[in-house]
Amino acid sequence: MSELSAEDAKLVTLARATRARVGAAQGAAVRDQDGRTYAAATVDLPSLQVSALDVCVAMAISSGSTSLEAAVVLGEGLDSSEPALDGARDFTGAGVSVHLGDPRGAVQRTVTT
């Protein structure tokens, strides 16, 4: 895996801290077109399930953002599976890098929306 930019490394830090704070399955962080960052954890309630990435996308949209520059998703099992990117793709279109890593923040691969 190539070295992340300083801005993308900040997303890793935010995603890791958010996931750890609530003990969620996944943590995510995104950066919008203006450089604002949003971090969230998976929501897993009996009546509501939302991925960490989708929570971040919703936060960005509700804050007036119009696109994303990058995203990070951290959690177990991301080395062999891919999180649902549909929400991010619908919001920002194709071509946004999504870095996937383990719970400790080691990025293992990058996919695009």
Side-chain angles (χ1 to χ4, degrees):
M1 186 83 235
S2 63
E3 193 71 24
L4 295 177
S5 70
E7 291 176 327
D8 288 355
K10 176 183 174 185
L11 294 179
V12 170
T13 299
L14 291 170
R16 183 179 60 229
T18 301
R19 180 189 174 279
R21 184 172 43 253
V22 298
Q26 294 182 352
V30 301
R31 183 177 59 255
D32 73 8
Q33 79 283 351
D34 294 325
R36 294 176 295 192
T37 56
Y38 307 90
T42 304
V43 175
D44 190 11
L45 300 172
S47 62
L48 177 66
Q49 296 84 37
V50 186
S51 75
L53 182 57
D54 284 344
V55 175
C56 286
V57 169
M59 291 168 63
I61 292 168
S62 67
S63 295
S65 191
T66 58
S67 67
L68 300 179
E69 289 184 351
V72 168
V73 181
L74 303 178
E76 296 290 344
L78 292 174
D79 54 343
S80 60
S81 67
E82 194 171 298
L85 302 177
D86 294 341
R89 189 178 298 112
D90 287 349
F91 173 50
T92 202
V96 172
S97 294
V98 180
H99 305 292
L100 306 176
D102 68 21
R104 295 167 312 190
V107 173
Q108 298 160 339
R109 62 193 178 104
T110 300
V111 297
T112 57
T113 58

